[in-house]
Amino acid sequence: MTHFPPPAEELRLLDLELHQLDTRRAQLLHRRAWLVTALQAASAQPAPSPFAPPHPETAPRPETSAPRVQNVLLVLGGVLLTIAAIAFTLVSWGHMGIAGRALVLGGLTVTVLAAPVALLKRGLRSTAESVAGLGLALTVLDAYALHEVRLADVDATGYIAAVSAVLAAVWAAYGLLPRASELRLPLPAALVAAQLPLVLWAVAADADLFGITAALLATAGIDTGVALRVPVRTVRITAMIGAYGMGAWGVWAAGWLSWTATGPSAAAGAAALLLFAAGIAVTAAWQQVAEKQAGGLAVAAGLLTVAALGGTARSVLPEAWTVPAYLVCGIALLAAVRVDRLPQAVRSGLVRASAAVQGLALLWTLPLVGIALLGPVGWVERVWSGVPGDVRQAVTVDAPWPSDAETVPVVLALVAVVLLLAARDTVWRPRALTGVLVPAWATALVLPAVLEVPYAVGLVALGITTAGALAAAAWIRPAEHPEAEEPSEAAASPQARPPVDFPTARLTATVLALLTSLPLAFLSLTAEPATLTVLCALTALFAAASWKPHLAPATAPATLAYAAALACATGAAAGWGPQYTALLVLAVPGAAALLAARLGDARATIPVEVAGALAALPAVGLAAASADLPMVALVLALCGVITAGVAIRPDRRPVAYASAALFVLATWVRLAAWDIGTPEAYTVPVSVPALLVGALRRHRDPETSSWTAYGPGLAATLVPSLLAAWSDPHWTRPLLLGMAALAITLLGAGHHLRAPLLLGGTVLALDALHELAPYIAQVTDALPRWVPPALAGLLLLALGATYEQRLRDARRMRNFLGNMH
């Protein structure tokens, strides 16, 4: 029988079923919408063919290739077999008879050497190379076995030399067989073995270092011939490595023999070895295809030739002439430029070798040139202590004189002559003309000390050198702009040739003149007349050179420097005090200011002004050293007058700030001389001009900020006065400061100026706090201990309750201050 629930229960069940159906329907509708969207997106792309194969996955890239794996396996196999053969020869050799030994090793060697031919026929080149290497190793084991069995009494060194020669021949013959010629290993291996015979035979024959060096160089020559004649790349690379290696060892040994040679015969033998090495290098350079390699080999050949000839000459000449001998040999290499049969690369290489020799010779001269330049500085500590006996004593002072320095001028002169002759070439003329100045100048600089001429003659020689350098700089003048018309024939003739235009040479000559004047000035410090005479001469010389516009940027500052030194020397010679000598020195900055205003060349104006400013420093230093404060104030004030005169020029308006600073310093020093300790006496003279300048700037540019216009002037007085008021026990200073700060605050508020308002208000508040501090301390001591925390709590509650209002007040204050200037 069917059970029917009560109506109420049935109604509840029906409502439940309908609710489940609504939920399911919503899920299906959501799924349907998603499917429709997916189908619309897929319809925009072409549908893949159902017969298309699936996309293959990307195969991982192998970390190594199959040929590499094969080569590694073959090399490892060959190494293992070689190790096994060695172990057999060393360990199991004694268990077999002579016939068995010969049969095993000979058969194994022949079999292994024959196997690569069959492997090459099958196209297994890598396997054939590996097996060929094993066969070559077995031939070495055969030679070892032969020595151990039959030739144990033979000298080991000679036996190794013979075996290496035999193995080199056997391996070369094996590599040249019709079928085995395809192998790449035998011929390079034969060449490696060929490196040993000559050297080892020389050692076995108890040859000296000369014989061993000859064997090394002969081996290098054989390698060079192989590298030049054999077209196989592997053989050429091996031959080049052997040639460079054996040649380097041979050249080093030959150079050592040449340097340590004690007589002409030993030096000649070493020279023969070096010339043989040079011949090898020249031959290789002559036939070298690559120009870069040919140039390097030619340089090496040139240096070896110089070492050979110079070493021979050194053995018969005094020790002082060693460097000139090598230098002459290096200069002789330049004759190769005239030999047309030599390739261009070889000629260029020989020229570079000559340049290298000359450069090394110049490096040898540097110690003496440095002493000639820097040695006279020692007279700064011995001013007017007495005239030395000669220039060498004056130059060295306490420094030691270099050994064998007598030929330094010869070396410098030879290099200068070479450069002068090179200046005939139109291409190298600018560089050569610049270069010839330096060695010629160095020759003139060191020659008086080398010849030990009298002191006065040495000063005259240095003065002539300085004048000559300035004359050269004046002669090498800047060329004018070419005109449209062609130059006349008379102007183009050699007799009417105008001064050349080489900016680098002109600059070099000017620098050399300045450098020469420095040791001349220091050398003159030995005696009072010499100092005054030399400084006068230098001042006049550089002043005359300053009339040349292209020299003025360098010579005009030098004139001012030597004029300042002359003023100091004059004051000292007259017995004046430092403070009075400072007044004489101030004539130099004044003259510099007048000269800078009259110069038309902008390039010389700034150097003259800088030199004048630097010349004022000794004046201030001399005045300060005297401890005479009124004179220090006078010197500072005169410096301020000079800078104020410079500031009159429209392009030097900013110098007025320096002038104001100097006047302020002079005022302060004068106040200190009067023992005035009130800070306002020092700050008010600064604040008043600063405020006037700020007001003038605000009048010209109303947009200028009040911090820029009035901030420095107000802070210069208010801050020091506030610090003084806080430590002042009296009431007068705090009262006056408070009144001034109140006035400044009111002025700032009335004119809407931010700097006076904030500075005056801050100083007023701090000043009032200082005055109320004792009373606040008394009230704090009288209150109970719980009152301060209670007041702090009430303050925090008030701030929290009115937080939003305080924020609005702060924003209004910020906007108010922001609208002010």
PDB file of all heavy atoms in Angstrom, residues 87-107:
ATOM      1  N   ALA A  87     103.522  -0.326 -17.670  1.00  0.00           N
ATOM      2  CA  ALA A  87     103.540  -1.257 -16.538  1.00  0.00           C
ATOM      3  C   ALA A  87     104.132  -2.613 -16.946  1.00  0.00           C
ATOM      4  O   ALA A  87     104.907  -3.229 -16.203  1.00  0.00           O
ATOM      5  CB  ALA A  87     102.118  -1.449 -16.006  1.00  0.00           C
ATOM      6  N   PHE A  88     103.800  -3.038 -18.162  1.00  0.00           N
ATOM      7  CA  PHE A  88     104.354  -4.297 -18.641  1.00  0.00           C
ATOM      8  C   PHE A  88     105.874  -4.198 -18.769  1.00  0.00           C
ATOM      9  O   PHE A  88     106.618  -5.098 -18.370  1.00  0.00           O
ATOM     10  CB  PHE A  88     103.727  -4.664 -19.984  1.00  0.00           C
ATOM     11  CG  PHE A  88     104.449  -5.777 -20.696  1.00  0.00           C
ATOM     12  CD1 PHE A  88     104.272  -7.111 -20.300  1.00  0.00           C
ATOM     13  CD2 PHE A  88     105.299  -5.500 -21.753  1.00  0.00           C
ATOM     14  CE1 PHE A  88     104.950  -8.115 -20.957  1.00  0.00           C
ATOM     15  CE2 PHE A  88     105.967  -6.518 -22.406  1.00  0.00           C
ATOM     16  CZ  PHE A  88     105.791  -7.838 -22.006  1.00  0.00           C
ATOM     17  N   THR A  89     106.331  -3.075 -19.319  1.00  0.00           N
ATOM     18  CA  THR A  89     107.763  -2.930 -19.536  1.00  0.00           C
ATOM     19  C   THR A  89     108.525  -2.845 -18.220  1.00  0.00           C
ATOM     20  O   THR A  89     109.614  -3.400 -18.069  1.00  0.00           O
ATOM     21  CB  THR A  89     108.025  -1.674 -20.373  1.00  0.00           C
ATOM     22  OG1 THR A  89     107.272  -1.756 -21.586  1.00  0.00           O
ATOM     23  CG2 THR A  89     109.508  -1.543 -20.708  1.00  0.00           C
ATOM     24  N   LEU A  90     107.965  -2.164 -17.245  1.00  0.00           N
ATOM     25  CA  LEU A  90     108.675  -1.951 -15.992  1.00  0.00           C
ATOM     26  C   LEU A  90     108.534  -3.110 -15.022  1.00  0.00           C
ATOM     27  O   LEU A  90     109.427  -3.363 -14.216  1.00  0.00           O
ATOM     28  CB  LEU A  90     108.171  -0.659 -15.327  1.00  0.00           C
ATOM     29  CG  LEU A  90     108.436   0.636 -16.106  1.00  0.00           C
ATOM     30  CD1 LEU A  90     107.837   1.815 -15.355  1.00  0.00           C
ATOM     31  CD2 LEU A  90     109.917   0.841 -16.331  1.00  0.00           C
ATOM     32  N   VAL A  91     107.397  -3.824 -15.061  1.00  0.00           N
ATOM     33  CA  VAL A  91     107.104  -4.841 -14.050  1.00  0.00           C
ATOM     34  C   VAL A  91     107.299  -6.254 -14.598  1.00  0.00           C
ATOM     35  O   VAL A  91     108.024  -7.077 -14.047  1.00  0.00           O
ATOM     36  CB  VAL A  91     105.683  -4.654 -13.495  1.00  0.00           C
ATOM     37  CG1 VAL A  91     105.364  -5.737 -12.469  1.00  0.00           C
ATOM     38  CG2 VAL A  91     105.534  -3.274 -12.885  1.00  0.00           C
ATOM     39  N   SER A  92     106.615  -6.540 -15.711  1.00  0.00           N
ATOM     40  CA  SER A  92     106.613  -7.917 -16.227  1.00  0.00           C
ATOM     41  C   SER A  92     107.770  -8.209 -17.173  1.00  0.00           C
ATOM     42  O   SER A  92     107.853  -9.281 -17.739  1.00  0.00           O
ATOM     43  CB  SER A  92     105.292  -8.185 -16.967  1.00  0.00           C
ATOM     44  OG  SER A  92     104.198  -7.975 -16.091  1.00  0.00           O
ATOM     45  N   TRP A  93     108.663  -7.203 -17.361  1.00  0.00           N
ATOM     46  CA  TRP A  93     109.730  -7.370 -18.345  1.00  0.00           C
ATOM     47  C   TRP A  93     110.715  -8.453 -17.898  1.00  0.00           C
ATOM     48  O   TRP A  93     111.220  -9.235 -18.691  1.00  0.00           O
ATOM     49  CB  TRP A  93     110.450  -6.029 -18.523  1.00  0.00           C
ATOM     50  CG  TRP A  93     111.549  -6.044 -19.542  1.00  0.00           C
ATOM     51  CD1 TRP A  93     112.874  -6.104 -19.317  1.00  0.00           C
ATOM     52  CD2 TRP A  93     111.383  -6.004 -20.942  1.00  0.00           C
ATOM     53  NE1 TRP A  93     113.573  -6.090 -20.485  1.00  0.00           N
ATOM     54  CE2 TRP A  93     112.664  -6.031 -21.521  1.00  0.00           C
ATOM     55  CE3 TRP A  93     110.276  -5.961 -21.792  1.00  0.00           C
ATOM     56  CZ2 TRP A  93     112.879  -6.000 -22.877  1.00  0.00           C
ATOM     57  CZ3 TRP A  93     110.482  -5.930 -23.143  1.00  0.00           C
ATOM     58  CH2 TRP A  93     111.781  -5.946 -23.686  1.00  0.00           C
ATOM     59  N   GLY A  94     110.996  -8.523 -16.630  1.00  0.00           N
ATOM     60  CA  GLY A  94     112.015  -9.461 -16.173  1.00  0.00           C
ATOM     61  C   GLY A  94     111.598 -10.913 -16.186  1.00  0.00           C
ATOM     62  O   GLY A  94     112.432 -11.792 -15.990  1.00  0.00           O
ATOM     63  N   HIS A  95     110.325 -11.236 -16.369  1.00  0.00           N
ATOM     64  CA  HIS A  95     109.849 -12.633 -16.372  1.00  0.00           C
ATOM     65  C   HIS A  95     109.986 -13.291 -17.728  1.00  0.00           C
ATOM     66  O   HIS A  95     109.597 -14.444 -17.888  1.00  0.00           O
ATOM     67  CB  HIS A  95     108.382 -12.670 -15.939  1.00  0.00           C
ATOM     68  CG  HIS A  95     108.177 -12.119 -14.545  1.00  0.00           C
ATOM     69  ND1 HIS A  95     108.569 -12.787 -13.412  1.00  0.00           N
ATOM     70  CD2 HIS A  95     107.632 -10.938 -14.126  1.00  0.00           C
ATOM     71  CE1 HIS A  95     108.268 -12.061 -12.337  1.00  0.00           C
ATOM     72  NE2 HIS A  95     107.694 -10.931 -12.755  1.00  0.00           N
ATOM     73  N   MET A  96     110.501 -12.571 -18.726  1.00  0.00           N
ATOM     74  CA  MET A  96     110.598 -13.123 -20.083  1.00  0.00           C
ATOM     75  C   MET A  96     112.052 -13.082 -20.530  1.00  0.00           C
ATOM     76  O   MET A  96     112.846 -12.260 -20.071  1.00  0.00           O
ATOM     77  CB  MET A  96     109.746 -12.300 -21.064  1.00  0.00           C
ATOM     78  CG  MET A  96     108.257 -12.250 -20.692  1.00  0.00           C
ATOM     79  SD  MET A  96     107.315 -11.264 -21.850  1.00  0.00           S
ATOM     80  CE  MET A  96     107.522 -12.233 -23.336  1.00  0.00           C
ATOM     81  N   GLY A  97     112.388 -13.930 -21.474  1.00  0.00           N
ATOM     82  CA  GLY A  97     113.730 -13.939 -22.023  1.00  0.00           C
ATOM     83  C   GLY A  97     113.922 -12.820 -23.021  1.00  0.00           C
ATOM     84  O   GLY A  97     113.011 -12.052 -23.338  1.00  0.00           O
ATOM     85  N   ILE A  98     115.193 -12.750 -23.537  1.00  0.00           N
ATOM     86  CA  ILE A  98     115.499 -11.666 -24.474  1.00  0.00           C
ATOM     87  C   ILE A  98     114.672 -11.799 -25.737  1.00  0.00           C
ATOM     88  O   ILE A  98     114.121 -10.825 -26.257  1.00  0.00           O
ATOM     89  CB  ILE A  98     116.996 -11.691 -24.790  1.00  0.00           C
ATOM     90  CG1 ILE A  98     117.807 -11.408 -23.515  1.00  0.00           C
ATOM     91  CG2 ILE A  98     117.331 -10.684 -25.872  1.00  0.00           C
ATOM     92  CD1 ILE A  98     119.298 -11.471 -23.721  1.00  0.00           C
ATOM     93  N   ALA A  99     114.580 -13.023 -26.253  1.00  0.00           N
ATOM     94  CA  ALA A  99     113.807 -13.216 -27.485  1.00  0.00           C
ATOM     95  C   ALA A  99     112.341 -12.882 -27.258  1.00  0.00           C
ATOM     96  O   ALA A  99     111.681 -12.247 -28.091  1.00  0.00           O
ATOM     97  CB  ALA A  99     113.962 -14.662 -27.958  1.00  0.00           C
ATOM     98  N   GLY A 100     111.839 -13.319 -26.141  1.00  0.00           N
ATOM     99  CA  GLY A 100     110.424 -13.024 -25.856  1.00  0.00           C
ATOM    100  C   GLY A 100     110.182 -11.537 -25.692  1.00  0.00           C
ATOM    101  O   GLY A 100     109.173 -11.009 -26.179  1.00  0.00           O
ATOM    102  N   ARG A 101     111.113 -10.907 -25.046  1.00  0.00           N
ATOM    103  CA  ARG A 101     110.936  -9.466 -24.879  1.00  0.00           C
ATOM    104  C   ARG A 101     110.930  -8.751 -26.224  1.00  0.00           C
ATOM    105  O   ARG A 101     110.062  -7.922 -26.524  1.00  0.00           O
ATOM    106  CB  ARG A 101     112.057  -8.910 -24.024  1.00  0.00           C
ATOM    107  CG  ARG A 101     112.139  -9.518 -22.628  1.00  0.00           C
ATOM    108  CD  ARG A 101     113.421  -9.092 -21.941  1.00  0.00           C
ATOM    109  NE  ARG A 101     113.646  -9.797 -20.694  1.00  0.00           N
ATOM    110  CZ  ARG A 101     114.738  -9.682 -19.955  1.00  0.00           C
ATOM    111  NH1 ARG A 101     115.732  -8.922 -20.382  1.00  0.00           N
ATOM    112  NH2 ARG A 101     114.867 -10.352 -18.823  1.00  0.00           N
ATOM    113  N   ALA A 102     111.928  -9.055 -27.055  1.00  0.00           N
ATOM    114  CA  ALA A 102     112.009  -8.401 -28.367  1.00  0.00           C
ATOM    115  C   ALA A 102     110.803  -8.724 -29.228  1.00  0.00           C
ATOM    116  O   ALA A 102     110.271  -7.856 -29.936  1.00  0.00           O
ATOM    117  CB  ALA A 102     113.295  -8.821 -29.073  1.00  0.00           C
ATOM    118  N   LEU A 103     110.385 -10.001 -29.138  1.00  0.00           N
ATOM    119  CA  LEU A 103     109.232 -10.391 -29.951  1.00  0.00           C
ATOM    120  C   LEU A 103     107.976  -9.665 -29.505  1.00  0.00           C
ATOM    121  O   LEU A 103     107.209  -9.161 -30.339  1.00  0.00           O
ATOM    122  CB  LEU A 103     109.039 -11.905 -29.852  1.00  0.00           C
ATOM    123  CG  LEU A 103     107.883 -12.486 -30.673  1.00  0.00           C
ATOM    124  CD1 LEU A 103     108.109 -12.247 -32.162  1.00  0.00           C
ATOM    125  CD2 LEU A 103     107.733 -13.998 -30.401  1.00  0.00           C
ATOM    126  N   VAL A 104     107.762  -9.577 -28.221  1.00  0.00           N
ATOM    127  CA  VAL A 104     106.537  -8.940 -27.722  1.00  0.00           C
ATOM    128  C   VAL A 104     106.519  -7.447 -28.051  1.00  0.00           C
ATOM    129  O   VAL A 104     105.568  -6.929 -28.644  1.00  0.00           O
ATOM    130  CB  VAL A 104     106.408  -9.168 -26.203  1.00  0.00           C
ATOM    131  CG1 VAL A 104     105.283  -8.323 -25.627  1.00  0.00           C
ATOM    132  CG2 VAL A 104     106.153 -10.634 -25.925  1.00  0.00           C
ATOM    133  N   LEU A 105     107.594  -6.750 -27.670  1.00  0.00           N
ATOM    134  CA  LEU A 105     107.588  -5.302 -27.894  1.00  0.00           C
ATOM    135  C   LEU A 105     107.649  -4.954 -29.385  1.00  0.00           C
ATOM    136  O   LEU A 105     106.940  -4.067 -29.854  1.00  0.00           O
ATOM    137  CB  LEU A 105     108.780  -4.666 -27.182  1.00  0.00           C
ATOM    138  CG  LEU A 105     108.577  -4.347 -25.694  1.00  0.00           C
ATOM    139  CD1 LEU A 105     109.828  -3.731 -25.109  1.00  0.00           C
ATOM    140  CD2 LEU A 105     107.403  -3.416 -25.501  1.00  0.00           C
ATOM    141  N   GLY A 106     108.507  -5.648 -30.128  1.00  0.00           N
ATOM    142  CA  GLY A 106     108.595  -5.344 -31.546  1.00  0.00           C
ATOM    143  C   GLY A 106     107.299  -5.641 -32.270  1.00  0.00           C
ATOM    144  O   GLY A 106     106.817  -4.835 -33.073  1.00  0.00           O
ATOM    145  N   GLY A 107     106.729  -6.829 -31.993  1.00  0.00           N
ATOM    146  CA  GLY A 107     105.472  -7.155 -32.655  1.00  0.00           C
ATOM    147  C   GLY A 107     104.355  -6.217 -32.276  1.00  0.00           C
ATOM    148  O   GLY A 107     103.543  -5.807 -33.129  1.00  0.00           O
TER     149      GLY A 107
END
